[in-house]
Amino acid sequence: MPSVISQDPEVLGGTPVFIGTRVPVQNLVDYLSAGDDLDEFLAEFPSVTGEQAQRFLLQAQEALLASLGG
């Protein structure tokens, strides 16, 4: 599955962002950690698609499970 994350030193100093946006992926993590839901995040950052957000979460889950040996 292709990544939905881009890192470019010319965009926000290399902060990982959703491809085609200037929205850091950390913003989604922060929203969810604060108890906000995905719809609230998407409403606040309309340049990020629901598909991008869901794919990021799936990729993060897969990376976490792989790091835990699962």
Side-chain angles (χ1 to χ4, degrees):
M1 173 180 345
S3 180
V4 294
I5 302 169
S6 173
Q7 276 187 279
D8 180 341
E10 301 296 319
V11 178
L12 296 178
T15 298
V17 298
F18 288 97
I19 289 176
T21 77
R22 295 180 61 82
V23 178
V25 295
Q26 183 65 46
N27 286 12
L28 175 55
V29 173
D30 292 345
Y31 263 69
L32 297 176
S33 294
D36 297 320
D37 65 28
L38 184 57
D39 289 334
E40 291 175 277
F41 171 81
L42 294 171
E44 188 68 28
F45 299 98
S47 61
V48 177
T49 67
E51 180 183 351
Q52 284 178 305
Q54 291 173 343
R55 283 181 49 203
F56 167 74
L57 292 172
L58 179 59
Q59 290 171 359
Q61 178 186 27
E62 289 172 351
L64 177 61
L65 291 174
S67 75
L68 296 174

